[in-house]
Amino acid sequence: MKSQSQIVSRTLVRLHSSWAVAACGVTLLMCVSGCGSTPAAWFRPNMVEATKQRLTPDQERQVSTVMLAMFGTPDAPVAPPETGLDEAKLQLAAGPVHSDIVGRKNGLYREHCAHCHGVTGDGLGPTAAFLNPYPRDYRPGVFKFKSTERSDKPTHEDLVRILHNGIPGTSMPSFALLSPPKVEALVEYVKYLSIRGETEIALMRAFFELDDEAQGKLPETREFLVDEVLTPVTEKWKSAADALIAVPEMASDLDLAASIAKGKELFYGDKANCVKCHGPTALGDGQANDYDDWNKAIVEVSKEVKSGLERAGETSTSGMDSEALAEHRGQLAWLDKFGRVLDGGDALRPRTIQPRNLRHGIYRGGRRPLDLYYRIHAGINGAPMPAAKGTVPPEEIWHIVNYVKSLPYELDGELGADRPMVAKDRF
Amino acid sequence: MSYVNGLFARRLSGAQCAGGMLLAVAAVVFAGDASAEEWGTIKGRFKFGGTAPTAAELKADKDVEVCGKHKLVNEELAVGADGGVANVVVFVRDKDVKVHPDLVATKSEKAVVDNASCRFEPHVLMVQTGQPLVLKNSDSVGHNSNIATLKNPPSNSLIPSGGETTVTFTSEEAIPAQLTCNIHPWMKAWLVVRPNPYGAVSKADGTFEIKNVPAGDIELQIWHEKAGYVGEMTIKGKAEKIAKGRKKIKVAGGDNDLGEMVLDANLFKK
């Protein structure tokens, strides 16, 4: 059965009620607590970004109100028409796991994905902390394994493929057993969470750019919320299909052994420079103390909080005038809040990213030569791996692909200059 | 509660529209001011308030044969012998400022960041939207240039020895974007992406100059990589709070010397 709250909020939305949205939220909450059905799920605000931007509680509320109006709740998602999202698909994926028609199950996202990716898509599900790599946080809208240029969004088909294949070598499972309509619904829901998360980040960052006259209030006009904030996000999703990487066919009469030899030269040479990160042995032991974008963000704020606390500890308050004292206290309160946000479940402990051990032959983004071409051409978005595009011409990228494909089988005993290969290296 | 409410109600408050139009009309009237033909130069000097720390030396742990030969220092805070603070960014925050005819061409001139001696040269660079930014590599080792823009699509390209690649930005960035090399993690630089040529980066002696700014009221914004948007400074001997590094000034024709601006040592302790 649909929960009362869903019906209420959906009706409100459909009625295009002109009530204050905050009031609508309150009604929703009251009903849920009063109706005794499944507890309402809520989208966790992006507290790391909110705290980084030093938002006041009032500003956090402004963002939550706009987010509620634009995107609804996990039980009753809505999507502004500008997003191009299909609400019917979202309904199928959203909400608690339940069935109101025999043979049709709703709540797919919470059934299959939320324990890793979190109800909010923030990568903070209950199992997340135990996994390596961590499940993807969709909110920055950054995806790794796709057929589009580096900074572009994945296509619909890319996401379908990820769900179909899973991500080998990580905990992300394959959902090949789900029916195509269910996969469609889940893909739509991933896009929804991603667009929602990006919009939230954009809103939180917008306070900084406000003019003084705005007095810390975001404009609640359509020009601002849709044209300035939402549209730049949705446009990128809509143009993904136009951003496909053009892949010339590998020459059909290519001499494989010669191609592998050329690829090897490129791999260890200065132009493609793969060796710098993947190491002289291709075991992924080159540049190993870097972070991906998600972890780097946390590393940076943690540093700021740590040094801020140290400094505050050294600061003597004697002799401060009342204004300086108030500022000092404000800074302490902010540091304290940030400390709590970072330790209190809004962020995971940062981990470095290991360049892939290419002797394993396990490729997260797919093992077709085409997949490797995409990875090398565009690099890996969100990860340190740079794009070879523009530097390495297509035919040479194919040589590198062939060499990479040969690496797990390169059994001549020589692993570059360092040492002979031992069986363990391959597992 | 206009759009947010209207999202459901599908109606926009007419009153607000009218208000917006009035403002727009006022802006047009203001822009038509006769002073538009006058242009001024904004200049000044940033000075460090306190004893400047010496920049720590960095040790190259990658490509040591090449990078180890260069003296590398932490460039986050560069204070000259006479207390001048280098690499402080000052730009005109207003987006629709009129651009002096002499400066129009600067948008098509190449801006260059070189990977040289295992560091980025320059450390902080102003670049305009639409202006070609060339990332080149004069070193004998390969680098990559990872640009962490927020509004523009981020990019990360391999740049082999002797190679180069060109990027352009379509939107301005409210906060300067970091440029790093993942192969040599000590390498860091900053790109200040602005919609017009009105910005400058202070030189080694702390001085800066922004030429040919249209006379009238403008808002400057002041940023430094360690201090962030500079919240306070002592200008001509007077302590001043400038929230978010924003300072409104009236530009007159000719020289507008802001004088010595002292940035307290505490601002840089991050």
Side-chain angles (χ1 to χ4, degrees):
Chain A
M1 250 213 34
K2 259 179 216 155
S3 76
Q4 188 81 17
S5 67
Q6 272 183 313
I7 295 167
V8 170
S9 66
R10 233 177 264 175
T11 317
L12 278 179
V13 169
R14 296 280 180 260
L15 277 177
H16 291 176
S17 151
S18 61
W19 292 4
V21 175
C24 151
V26 170
T27 321
L28 188 77
L29 287 179
M30 283 192 321
C31 176
V32 167
S33 47
C35 300
S37 57
T38 338
W42 52 289
F43 284 126
R44 186 204 291 263
N46 190 335
M47 285 311 292
V48 173
E49 191 64 36
T51 316
K52 200 163 129 193
Q53 299 296 335
R54 293 178 181 259
L55 301 194
T56 62
D58 170 64
Q59 290 173 330
E60 286 171 14
R61 267 192 302 275
Q62 288 179 46
V63 173
S64 305
T65 307
V66 174
M67 292 305 288
L68 180 64
M70 279 183 146
F71 294 99
T73 69
D75 290 342
V78 290
E82 292 80 4
T83 58
L85 291 167
D86 180 340
E87 283 190 2
K89 287 185 188 169
L90 297 183
Q91 309 293 353
L92 197 61
V97 185
H98 66 284
S99 179
D100 45 14
I101 296 175
V102 176
R104 194 182 83 177
K105 201 144 116 199
N106 292 54
L108 295 169
Y109 180 79
R110 259 180 260 171
E111 180 178 9
H112 297 293
C113 324
H115 57 106
C116 288
H117 291 282
V119 168
T120 313
D122 50 13
L124 295 170
T127 30
F130 308 103
L131 305 175
N132 190 1
Y134 290 135
R136 178 79 69 261
D137 169 2
Y138 308 133
R139 296 170 303 173
V142 174
F143 293 83
K144 290 181 175 178
F145 307 117
K146 54 201 183 61
S147 58
T148 52
E149 294 292 352
R150 186 183 183 93
S151 66
D152 286 294
K153 300 295 176 196
T155 62
H156 190 80
E157 295 71 34
D158 286 333
L159 291 174
V160 170
R161 185 176 313 111
I162 283 286
L163 286 201
H164 201 267
N165 296 348
I167 304 184
T170 80
S171 59
M172 166 82 193
S174 152
F175 293 94
L177 295 179
L178 292 183
S179 66
K182 286 185 177 168
V183 170
E184 285 293 313
L186 284 163
V187 163
E188 198 75 355
Y189 201 71
V190 168
K191 285 190 203 168
Y192 160 77
L193 289 175
S194 183
I195 291 174
R196 186 190 172 283
E198 282 183 275
T199 305
E200 183 183 30
I201 293 175
L203 283 171
M204 289 178 166
R205 287 182 181 157
F207 285 100
F208 177 76
E209 290 174 66
L210 290 181
D211 288 323
D212 298 345
E213 297 81 66
Q215 298 186 321
K217 296 265 181 245
L218 289 181
E220 294 196 338
T221 57
R222 196 189 151 80
E223 290 74 48
F224 173 71
L225 293 173
V226 174
D227 301 351
E228 261 182 66
V229 176
L230 184 64
T231 309
V233 175
T234 56
E235 279 305 305
K236 291 289 281 176
W237 281 97
K238 286 182 186 159
S239 62
D242 303 327
L244 289 184
I245 297 171
V247 184
E249 293 262 322
M250 198 188 315
S252 56
D253 55 348
L254 192 81
D255 173 350
L256 189 60
S259 170
I260 290 175
K262 279 188 203 144
K264 181 171 186 169
E265 210 173 290
L266 285 157
F267 190 96
Y268 298 101
D270 167 68
K271 184 156 75 171
N273 232 343
C274 317
V275 61
K276 285 290 147 59
C277 294
H278 292 280
T281 57
L283 293 167
D285 51 359
Q287 175 54 267
N289 45 13
D290 212 345
Y291 295 90
D292 67 14
D293 290 358
W294 296 266
N295 284 284
K296 194 180 259 166
I298 303 298
V299 171
E300 275 166 10
V301 291
S302 306
K303 261 194 217 149
E304 196 176 333
V305 171
K306 188 159 166 272
S307 71
L309 283 171
E310 273 166 18
R311 214 160 2 113
E314 289 163 7
T315 309
S316 152
T317 48
S318 69
M320 273 190 191
D321 60 25
S322 59
E323 200 189 339
L325 199 61
E327 201 170 298
H328 178 70
R329 291 207 178 113
Q331 173 73 1
L332 273 181
W334 179 73
L335 289 165
D336 179 55
K337 177 175 172 189
F338 222 147
R340 277 182 285 124
V341 165
L342 292 176
D343 296 337
D346 285 296
L348 297 169
R349 193 175 295 261
R351 280 200 196 113
T352 52
I353 189 164
Q354 189 80 6
R356 194 82 69 250
N357 177 344
L358 297 174
R359 299 278 171 181
H360 283 167
I362 296 169
Y363 308 108
R364 296 189 184 171
R367 51 198 282 274
R368 298 172 302 173
L370 178 66
D371 294 318
L372 293 178
Y373 188 100
Y374 292 147
R375 292 304 87 74
I376 298 168
H377 168 97
I380 296 178
N381 195 21
M385 171 143 157
K389 175 195 179 186
T391 298
V392 185
E395 63 281 8
E396 293 188 351
I397 293 185
W398 277 126
H399 296 322
I400 302 176
V401 168
N402 287 331
Y403 176 63
V404 168
K405 292 286 288 176
S406 80
L407 271 166
Y409 312 100
E410 193 189 47
L411 291 169
D412 56 4
E414 286 293 345
L415 280 174
D418 272 0
R419 62 180 171 82
M421 183 172 167
V422 293
K424 181 168 139 277
D425 294 336
R426 302 200 47 233
F427 302 102
Chain B
M1 292 296 274
S2 57
Y3 170 71
V4 173
N5 238 353
L7 196 59
F8 307 119
R10 300 260 179 259
R11 65 175 154 75
L12 263 169
S13 123
Q16 213 163 14
C17 273
M21 285 208 328
L22 275 181
L23 278 179
V25 171
V28 169
V29 170
F30 186 75
D33 199 286
S35 63
E37 287 312 293
E38 271 200 284
W39 308 88
T41 296
I42 305 169
K43 54 183 172 181
R45 175 171 184 264
F46 291 103
K47 191 166 181 283
F48 194 78
T51 340
T54 34
E57 265 192 55
L58 297 176
K59 222 169 110 55
D61 53 358
K62 295 276 155 17
D63 283 319
V64 183
E65 328 75 66
V66 175
C67 299
K69 286 202 299 251
H70 304 291
K71 185 173 180 246
L72 296 166
V73 293
N74 182 329
E75 298 181 62
E76 288 174 354
L77 175 59
V79 181
D82 51 357
V85 189
N87 295 330
V88 182
V89 174
V90 188
F91 59 80
V92 173
R93 185 168 167 264
D94 314 57
K95 284 167 190 164
D96 306 319
V97 279
K98 195 168 169 190
V99 175
H100 189 277
D102 290 358
L103 294 175
V104 172
T106 54
K107 228 189 185 40
S108 37
E109 284 165 14
K110 282 181 187 170
V112 181
V113 175
D114 193 4
N115 288 259
S117 309
C118 299
R119 58 180 286 280
F120 289 110
E121 175 55 39
H123 182 64
V124 183
L125 179 72
M126 254 270 309
V127 46
Q128 297 176 53
T129 48
Q131 185 180 10
L133 169 66
V134 178
L135 300 156
K136 63 174 200 169
N137 180 1
S138 309
D139 277 338
S140 59
V141 291
H143 290 288
N144 70 290
S145 290
N146 192 339
I147 306 179
T149 37
L150 297 178
K151 290 266 165 78
N152 294 282
S155 64
N156 183 358
S157 300
L158 279 168
I159 311 189
S161 170
E164 65 171 53
T165 183
T166 303
V167 291
T168 48
F169 303 103
T170 48
S171 358
E172 73 250 21
E173 297 277 338
I175 297 170
Q178 199 172 39
L179 169 65
T180 52
C181 171
N182 298 94
I183 301 173
H184 308 104
W186 64 83
M187 290 176 63
K188 290 193 175 106
W190 297 89
L191 300 171
V192 187
V193 186
R194 300 306 309 162
N196 55 51
Y198 295 122
V201 180
S202 66
K203 293 193 276 213
D205 61 358
T207 60
F208 73 92
E209 194 172 87
I210 309 174
K211 285 199 185 119
N212 286 326
V213 182
D217 293 309
I218 55 138
E219 189 168 40
L220 291 178
Q221 202 160 10
I222 304 170
W223 180 90
H224 178 274
E225 75 172 283
K226 285 250 16 178
Y229 279 106
V230 172
E232 55 188 316
M233 59 185 185
T234 306
I235 179 163
K236 287 183 178 155
K238 205 170 127 252
E240 220 181 277
K241 289 242 180 269
I242 47 169
K244 300 183 186 176
R246 296 179 189 174
K247 181 172 170 54
K248 292 201 164 95
I249 62 164
K250 192 170 192 75
V251 178
D255 270 359
N256 297 261
D257 193 348
L258 300 180
E260 195 168 76
M261 289 173 275
V262 181
L263 305 177
D264 191 84
N266 276 320
L267 290 173
F268 301 94
K269 287 189 183 151
K270 270 199 183 146

